[in-house]
Amino acid sequence: MDINRRTVIRSATGVAAMTAFGVAEGTAGTAFAGTSSAGGSSSGSGSSSSAYSLEFDSTAWSYDATNDVYYQLGKVYVANPAAADYENLSIYVPGAYLTATANSDGTTYTAKLNRKGTVGQYSGGTAPIVIPVNTPGYAQQAPATSYSYSSVSQYLAAGLVYVWPGLRGRDSSTSTRSDAAPWGVTDLKAAVRFLRYNEGVLPGSSDDIVLFGMSGGGAQDTVAGTSGDSPLYHPYLRTIGAAMEDAQGRPLSDAVAGVMAWCPITNLAEANLSYEWNMGQFASTGTRASGTWTSAYSADLAKAWPKYVNRLGLRDEHGRRLELTASSNGVHLAGSYHDHLIEVITTSLNHFLSDNTFPYTITTQGGPPGSGQTGTSTTYATVADYIAYLNSSSTWVSYDATTNTATVSGLEGFVTSQKNANKPVGAFDGYARGQGENSVFAMGLGVPSHFAPLTRDVVKANETTYATYSDWNSAYGAAAYDGDFAKKDSVGKGIAWRAEAYNPLYFLSPAFAGYRQSKVARHWRIRTGIMQGDTANTTEINLQLALRNYGIRDVDFATVWAQAHTMAERTGNATTNFISWVESVVKK
C-alpha cells in the first residue's frame, strides 16, 4: 500500500466557506440505527489547515460480545470536512466477518477482514452494505453518538453490513456555513467513496451498496442512485476532500447498486406543476378559492404540466408513448398518460382487495410519522360496504364481485375521495418562499430561496393577470425568482445547477442534458402510499417509468392503497421486506 498517497487526500479547490416538508417524520421504526444527536461541536466553515486521514483504523474496533458485533463510531469520511460533527460515519459488522485480537487498552480490538467468515448466504467479502438515509424534508442526518444493537440487529442477523453516515441538510446550516443542497447528497456520495477507498480492510462488498430511506430520505437516496459519478458533484466532492482516487490513482466511484425509496418526495423542479394538475385542479378552498390570484395561479400551473410531461417522452412497458391531451372538462384529463395513471390507481385498489379480507379496518394517518397524532379508524364489514364508501360523493369505482376486481373510471373521483390537496398553491416552491422545500436550496442561514424555473416561467407569463387581484403582492413576481437564481453558492454554482443535481429525471430522461452522463443503480424498490397529499401520484410514477425507459430492468414498484405518507407496504413489515428484497437481488 502506498501510505504517502493514500493516507491523506487534500482538497483540490480549498475548503467550503418534514412530514412532507416542514414537519419532521421522525425515525421510522427499526429502519435507522443507533442513538444520534444533531448537536456536537461544529468544525465551522472547515477552514482549519489540518486534514483528516481517509485511512480506516483497523486497530480501533469496539466489540459487542453478547451479540458478536464489531463496530466503530465517528470516523470522518472526508479529508477536509466542512462539518466534522456531521461528516463522520459508523459501521456495524457481524463478528464472523473479522478476525480480531484485543488491544492492550482492554477495550478495543485490532481486526483483519475474514473473507471466508459467513452469516446466512453471505461472507465477509460478499455481504451487501446497507446505508440508511433518514433525512425528512431534506434535513440533516445526525451521525450515531452511541452504540445500539437493537436497531441494527435485523440487518446484521441477515449478514448485512450496516453503515450510518452523518449528512448535512437544510436545517444544519450555521452563520458561517450553508448546508443546503447539494451538500446532503454530496456527503452521502463521499461516504460511499470512503467505503470503496478502504475496501481492502472493511468487510462487505463495495459493489453491492444499497441505500434506503423514506420521504426526503427516499428522495435523496433516489438522487444518489440516479447520479452515480455525475460530474455535477465533482466540484463539491473535491471541496471537502472526498476520496476521488484509490491507492493506484484509479478513479473511485460513488455509484450504488440499489435503492429502496418509500414515498420519495423528489422531482422538485416540476412538483408545483404536477401537484396542481393531479390534485389542485379539483380543489376550491383555501388558496384555490375562487377570486384569489392563487386560484388563477393553480390553474396556470396545472396547464403547464401537460407540456412538460409530454416533453419527457415517457413510455409504458408496451412501448406506448405516454402523453396528455386536451379534454372536454378539467385540465388535460385525457390521453395515454392519463390512462396510465388510472391503470396504476386501479392496480393499487385491486392489490388492496386481493391482499386483505373483510371486515377490514382502515386507520387514517393523523399526522406525519413520528408526530404522535392519531388518526381515525373505520371498519367496513364487506367489500361492497367499502366500495359504497368510495362512491359516496360520486361514482368513480365499479366492482365485480365474481372476480373481486374494481375499475376506476376517472382521476377526479379518486382525488376527491382519497387524495385531497393538503398543501397550498405553490406546494413546493412557495410564492412567498414559505414552503419547506424553499430551504432545501437556501443560499444562507434562514434565507430560503426559489429554485424552480418551471414555476418562474408560469409566474412570468401570467404576472400581469395576477396583478389585477387584490391579494397579489409584487414580491411574488418573477423578479424574485430571477434574483434567487442569480446567486452563487460557496462552490460558485447557481440554483439551476444545484436543482439539476437534485433532480433524478435530469439523469434519466433524454429531455435533459444529464441523460446518460451518470451511472444509475441497477436495483430499485419503490413504495408509496397512494393517499398521501404530500406529493402527486406522478412523482413516483414518472420515476418508475424513467428508470425502465432508461433500461433498468429491476424496478419493483407499487403504490399502496389506503396508506398515506409512510413506509408503505402492501403486506408485512417494511424493514423485513427491505432485507428480503436485498437478499433477493444480491445473491452470493
Side-chain angles (χ1 to χ4, degrees):
M1 180 183 298
D2 185 352
I3 296 296
N4 290 333
R5 181 182 184 88
R6 184 170 177 173
T7 300
V8 175
I9 293 181
R10 296 185 180 273
S11 167
T13 58
V15 181
M18 202 176 182
T19 93
F21 307 96
V23 182
E25 299 142 356
T27 53
T30 60
F32 306 103
T35 302
S36 66
S37 169
S41 59
S42 173
S43 63
S45 65
S47 59
S48 171
S49 60
S50 64
Y52 287 79
S53 169
L54 293 181
E55 189 82 12
F56 187 81
D57 187 356
S58 295
T59 70
W61 288 98
S62 296
Y63 183 54
D64 171 4
T66 301
N67 298 296
D68 191 22
V69 175
Y70 289 96
Y71 62 94
Q72 286 200 34
L73 308 179
K75 173 58 186 177
V76 175
Y77 53 74
V78 290
N80 286 308
D85 53 333
Y86 279 99
E87 292 166 304
N88 68 83
L89 59 77
S90 302
I91 183 168
Y92 308 80
V93 179
Y97 296 165
L98 291 171
T99 301
T101 56
N103 295 327
S104 59
D105 61 12
T107 60
T108 62
Y109 293 77
T110 296
K112 294 183 178 181
L113 171 60
N114 179 10
R115 295 185 180 277
K116 296 183 179 180
T118 60
V119 176
Q121 68 183 42
Y122 300 114
S123 70
T126 66
I129 300 170
V130 295
I131 300 179
V133 186
N134 185 20
T135 57
Y138 293 82
Q140 67 280 2
Q141 174 164 284
T145 56
S146 63
Y147 171 71
S148 169
Y149 174 68
S150 61
S151 294
V152 299
S153 59
Q154 287 181 267
Y155 306 95
L156 301 188
L160 307 177
V161 172
Y162 191 104
V163 174
W164 175 1
L167 309 170
R168 288 172 290 164
R170 68 171 198 178
D171 295 330
S172 63
S173 297
T174 70
S175 59
T176 59
R177 185 189 77 231
S178 174
D179 288 349
W183 286 119
V185 171
T186 300
D187 285 348
L188 180 56
K189 287 172 172 286
V192 170
R193 287 171 173 271
F194 173 85
L195 296 176
R196 289 206 169 99
Y197 184 77
N198 289 284
E199 63 184 357
V201 296
L202 288 175
S205 169
S206 65
D207 290 333
D208 297 304
I209 296 174
V210 181
L211 312 176
F212 65 106
M214 183 252 173
S215 189
Q220 295 208 116
D221 69 23
T222 294
V223 171
T226 53
S227 66
D229 301 334
S230 168
L232 289 184
Y233 283 88
H234 289 174
Y236 294 91
L237 290 164
R238 292 190 179 99
T239 294
I240 57 176
M244 305 300 288
E245 299 175 342
D246 67 11
Q248 286 72 45
R250 296 170 299 197
L252 287 171
S253 173
D254 54 56
V256 298
V259 173
M260 170 71 245
W262 290 278
C263 294
I265 305 292
T266 189
N267 303 346
L268 296 181
E270 68 185 53
N272 276 3
L273 283 61
S274 60
Y275 198 90
E276 298 310 310
W277 177 81
N278 194 160
M279 299 147 71
Q281 68 167 304
F282 307 117
S284 59
T285 60
T287 54
R288 298 173 183 88
S290 177
T292 61
W293 85 267
T294 46
S295 176
Y297 181 37
S298 171
D300 292 331
L301 288 168
K303 292 173 184 175
W305 169 252
K307 181 179 179 180
Y308 169 79
V309 77
N310 290 350
R311 184 167 64 90
L312 295 178
L314 298 170
R315 296 181 182 273
D316 67 11
E317 67 272 22
H318 305 297
R320 176 182 59 164
R321 179 74 175 259
L322 300 179
E323 295 182 324
L324 289 171
T325 60
S327 54
S328 58
N329 63 319
V331 180
H332 280 63
L333 298 178
S336 53
Y337 184 91
H338 170 269
D339 295 344
H340 181 77
L341 173 56
I342 298 302
E343 290 172 9
V344 171
I345 296 169
T346 300
T347 297
S348 180
L349 176 53
N350 283 321
H351 281 164
F352 170 76
L353 296 176
S354 65
D355 291 340
N356 299 287
T357 57
F358 284 75
Y360 187 85
T361 299
I362 293 179
T363 301
T364 61
Q365 189 169 301
S371 67
Q373 300 178 36
T374 57
T376 59
S377 296
T378 305
T379 299
Y380 300 92
T382 65
V383 176
D385 291 339
Y386 182 66
I387 299 298
Y389 148 71
L390 295 178
N391 287 328
S392 57
S393 296
S394 65
T395 302
W396 58 279
V397 178
S398 60
Y399 176 67
D400 184 344
T402 60
T403 60
N404 191 34
T405 58
T407 301
V408 173
S409 61
L411 184 60
E412 182 174 4
F414 161 71
V415 170
T416 302
S417 172
Q418 297 295 299
K419 193 178 175 69
N420 298 151
N422 62 13
K423 291 185 175 184
V425 182
F428 295 88
D429 190 343
Y431 55 82
R433 305 184 187 87
Q435 294 299 96
E437 290 81 0
N438 289 114
S439 295
V440 173
F441 296 95
M443 297 305 295
L445 182 65
V447 185
S449 301
H450 289 301
F451 59 84
L454 290 170
T455 294
R456 178 266 180 202
D457 292 346
V458 170
V459 172
K460 180 67 173 178
N462 299 283
E463 193 167 347
T464 301
T465 300
Y466 300 155
T468 66
Y469 290 84
S470 60
D471 57 339
W472 168 258
N473 186 319
S474 60
Y476 305 152
Y481 295 79
D482 293 337
D484 288 350
F485 296 168
K487 298 175 183 177
K488 306 292 184 182
D489 67 7
S490 61
V491 183
K493 306 301 181 183
I495 289 288
W497 177 286
R498 294 159 62 211
E500 287 173 346
Y502 257 44
N503 180 10
L505 295 186
Y506 177 79
F507 306 100
L508 296 174
S509 170
F512 299 102
Y515 184 63
R516 301 290 179 188
Q517 300 300 308
S518 65
K519 185 175 181 180
V520 178
R522 61 188 183 272
H523 304 294
W524 290 79
R525 188 173 188 269
I526 303 167
R527 292 292 184 273
T528 181
I530 202 167
M531 293 175 65
Q532 64 171 334
D534 306 84
T535 190
N537 297 104
T538 61
T539 300
E540 294 93 350
I541 289 174
N542 284 4
L543 173 62
Q544 182 252 1
L545 289 169
L547 285 165
R548 289 193 177 277
N549 293 172
Y550 192 88
I552 304 302
R553 296 182 179 180
D554 185 14
V555 184
D556 182 350
F557 170 77
T559 54
V560 184
W561 194 266
Q563 294 196 36
H565 194 64
T566 187
M567 295 173 73
E569 295 287 337
R570 285 177 55 188
T571 59
N573 172 269
T575 299
T576 301
N577 290 350
F578 165 65
I579 292 172
S580 295
W581 173 71
V582 172
E583 291 175 337
S584 72
V585 299
V586 184
K587 299 177 180 179
K588 298 292 184 181

